[in-house]
Amino acid sequence: MKSSSEELELIRLYLDSQATTEQIQLLEQKMLNDNQLRKDFLAYARIDAALPYTLNNKQNENLEINQKSIFFHWSSWVSIAAVLVFLFTVNTGLFYSASTSKKPNLQTIAQFGKLENCRWMDPNQHVSTGGTLQANDRIELSSGSADIHFKTGAIIQLNGPAIIELNTANSAFLTLGRAAVIADTEDSQGFSLKTPSSTFVDLGTAFTAAVAPDGLSRLDVTQGEVNLIAEHGHTPRLIKAGETMFVEPGKQKILTRMESGDESKSFIFPTIQPPSHNDYADASRGNAKVIVGKGILRKQSNWEVNPLSLLDGKGQSEPDSPQESVFLEKDNKGKFGNLLIDLGKAINIDKINSYSWHQHQLIKKANNRATQKFTIYGLGNEELPDLSIPLSNTGWKRIARVNSDSFFDVKDYIDRPAQQACSIFASKGKIGYFRYLLIEVHGPTFFGEIDVFGDQ
């Protein structure tokens, strides 16, 4: 993809039905004058036909996981079709084929290796093992897997649906989908895989990268170490074997890390600190308060949890303790509602940590309330708007999306950590200047604590 990150973000907002009227008009105006942007839009739109096929073959009826997870959320075919018609009227030659036809005088930088059950987005594309690849070749895989062997010795296994563009003999741009990278030769040191929101630089290792249709990037390091560079000028962040990081798209690069704990009341995690009394929002400081903005807080006749307990500097004292957990009931529409944190005034926020713990004492399969699934928004206004109005119309800014089942690759209950921590922070500088934080809850989470670090 050659378009800027801001332009790609407009495309993602449009295809995900989140663009405002002004953003839609801006995108259409830009596409009128920018042939490359039109091509990039079509490349994204083309993947729509592949996603239903992929999803239908990945259903797991025995697991309570939201199938529209953050890695496979792709909607609004009507919107896509409308823009395709618009583009067609602008230039009928835009439906270009993503082929690997050879350009004269360009050096071969890679070749196809093993191809397994491959379906290509361009039905006229003919690919075979040993087929050569040159700089700027774009590969659009609908389903199946394809190995790409670079001349430096690096290997990428591409899993469809996916779009990747080869840049040099030691770099590529993953626009969409999942790619597993092995770069363990001397010449492949420093192999660089770019995504719309970040760059992953290999330090002699193996890692997997994934990009969702909405631009959310994921990095899993399986061996060695990888430098994560969210943007030019940002300090590289070293990600080690066994660690995972999400990077949100957009101008402000927000990172999300999740870790499993030691399942004790001390809430000890590998790198994320335990629940804290030292954050700005701690109840002892008297700065912040928490209420249920929308939804029903779970309670019983003999107990009721105060939402303010989320700011008391500690998590639950045992793994199945609803009396110490803030969790929302699902309504008849399948919605859980939201939690609203009022910090008392707008502050520069450095980091937001959330903690959960749940494991039924007798039923080992009953740990789904440990999962953290939510979207968090921020608002700097002094006046709180009507929460019944769509958030995009009242100034709320989406900060991050969290889905711990996706993060931990949960395929069965045994994969789900009973105690979890999520840490949200900016790659550089602050998360933002906010007074209100709105947490749209998407699951039956037993929240134990939420810490907000910022101006003291």
Side-chain angles (χ1 to χ4, degrees):
M1 293 287 168
K2 304 298 183 182
S3 300
S4 68
S5 59
E6 290 78 10
E7 291 168 335
L8 293 177
E9 176 70 2
L10 282 176
I11 293 175
R12 295 183 202 105
L13 288 171
Y14 187 95
L15 297 180
D16 206 28
S17 297
Q18 294 183 352
T20 63
T21 301
E22 291 76 15
Q23 288 171 325
I24 292 172
Q25 292 173 347
L26 177 60
L27 176 61
E28 291 179 348
Q29 185 60 43
K30 282 178 173 287
M31 286 195 292
L32 278 170
N33 303 307
D34 189 337
N35 182 59
Q36 183 61 50
L37 182 60
R38 295 195 293 266
K39 289 181 178 180
D40 289 341
F41 182 93
L42 289 172
Y44 271 96
R46 202 179 287 117
I47 197 73
D48 182 76
L51 280 170
Y53 174 88
T54 302
L55 284 173
N56 290 336
N57 285 279
K58 291 186 177 180
Q59 297 290 331
N60 187 337
E61 297 178 356
N62 298 318
L63 182 63
E64 186 183 345
I65 297 178
N66 179 7
Q67 294 299 329
K68 290 186 177 179
S69 72
I70 51 182
F71 273 110
F72 293 103
H73 178 61
W74 187 262
S75 60
S76 306
W77 167 247
V78 174
S79 297
I80 296 172
V83 173
L84 291 178
V85 170
F86 163 76
L87 290 177
F88 187 79
T89 61
V90 173
N91 185 343
T92 56
L94 284 179
F95 294 92
Y96 89 112
S97 172
S99 69
T100 54
S101 58
K102 299 301 110 189
K103 282 75 69 176
N105 303 320
L106 286 183
Q107 185 179 8
T108 295
I109 60 172
Q111 66 179 28
F112 282 107
K114 182 180 179 181
L115 303 173
E116 191 169 317
N117 301 319
C118 290
R119 295 173 65 227
W120 308 97
M121 296 180 198
D122 178 2
N124 298 316
Q125 192 168 20
H126 301 289
V127 177
S128 59
T129 297
T132 58
L133 294 158
Q134 300 172 346
N136 301 321
D137 274 345
R138 178 153 59 188
I139 302 165
E140 299 180 353
L141 180 64
S142 176
S143 63
S145 66
D147 289 357
I148 303 168
H149 293 255
F150 289 78
K151 295 190 76 172
T152 58
I155 301 173
I156 288 181
Q157 183 184 72
L158 195 65
N159 293 285
I163 300 174
I164 193 170
E165 185 171 317
L166 309 190
N167 299 138
T168 70
N170 219 33
S171 66
F173 191 109
L174 181 65
T175 300
L176 185 68
R178 183 179 292 265
V181 178
I182 299 176
D184 55 4
T185 67
E186 184 175 349
D187 289 343
S188 66
Q189 296 292 299
F191 183 89
S192 172
L193 184 65
K194 296 182 179 180
T195 76
S197 63
S198 52
T199 300
F200 307 139
V201 181
D202 165 79
L203 300 176
T205 183
F207 67 91
T208 299
V211 180
D214 58 12
L216 183 66
S217 297
R218 170 179 180 148
L219 170 66
D220 293 273
V221 180
T222 50
Q223 295 178 20
E225 298 173 332
V226 172
N227 267 333
L228 187 158
I229 305 171
E231 195 167 312
H232 179 71
H234 289 207
T235 302
R237 189 174 297 273
L238 189 65
I239 311 300
K240 299 180 180 180
E243 296 182 349
T244 299
M245 191 76 75
F246 281 101
V247 186
E248 290 280 349
K251 189 173 182 180
Q252 179 75 341
K253 297 297 187 282
I254 303 298
L255 309 183
T256 302
R257 180 196 296 273
M258 298 203 71
E259 294 178 346
S260 57
D262 67 347
E263 299 186 26
S264 76
K265 64 181 181 181
S266 298
F267 278 75
I268 304 300
F269 298 89
T271 66
I272 298 175
Q273 67 191 88
S276 174
H277 285 290
N278 299 319
D279 64 303
Y280 178 88
D282 192 79
S284 64
R285 296 174 179 266
N287 296 325
K289 60 183 181 180
V290 185
I291 64 171
V292 176
K294 186 192 303 181
I296 301 173
L297 190 66
R298 183 71 174 270
K299 62 182 180 180
Q300 296 291 344
S301 58
N302 60 334
W303 58 263
E304 182 174 350
V305 178
N306 185 344
L308 194 60
S309 64
L310 287 174
L311 308 180
D312 63 5
K314 60 184 180 180
Q316 297 94 329
S317 61
E318 55 186 14
D320 189 16
S321 182
Q323 298 95 324
E324 298 178 288
S325 305
V326 173
F327 67 111
L328 300 176
E329 298 272 18
K330 187 192 301 187
D331 65 19
N332 56 12
K333 296 182 180 179
K335 303 289 186 181
F336 288 90
N338 55 50
L339 299 169
L340 177 68
I341 300 176
D342 180 358
L343 299 172
K345 66 176 183 179
I347 67 167
N348 285 305
I349 296 177
D350 297 313
K351 180 173 61 178
I352 303 167
N353 289 353
S354 60
Y355 304 86
S356 61
W357 192 15
H358 175 250
Q359 175 61 69
H360 195 283
Q361 299 286 14
L362 300 177
I363 307 172
K364 292 303 180 183
K365 291 185 178 182
N367 64 358
N368 64 309
R369 289 172 179 165
T371 187
Q372 296 193 33
K373 295 180 182 180
F374 63 86
T375 304
I376 185 166
Y377 299 85
L379 183 70
N381 301 353
E382 287 299 312
E383 290 288 331
L384 182 66
D386 185 346
L387 294 181
S388 66
I389 300 174
L391 301 183
S392 59
N393 294 341
T394 52
W396 289 92
K397 179 183 177 183
R398 188 182 70 194
I399 297 172
R401 295 155 291 174
V402 174
N403 183 333
S404 64
D405 275 358
S406 175
F407 193 100
F408 292 115
D409 283 328
V410 174
K411 296 179 176 61
D412 200 349
Y413 75 93
I414 198 171
D415 302 323
R416 182 184 292 116
Q419 191 179 72
Q420 303 180 8
C422 171
S423 186
I424 300 168
F425 51 96
S427 171
K428 184 178 182 180
K430 311 291 185 180
I431 289 176
Y433 185 70
F434 304 121
R435 172 174 174 170
Y436 299 101
L437 297 174
L438 188 69
I439 301 172
E440 287 282 355
V441 180
H442 307 308
T445 307
F446 268 27
F447 286 107
E449 172 78 359
I450 296 175
D451 293 333
V452 182
F453 296 88
D455 296 340
Q456 300 295 314

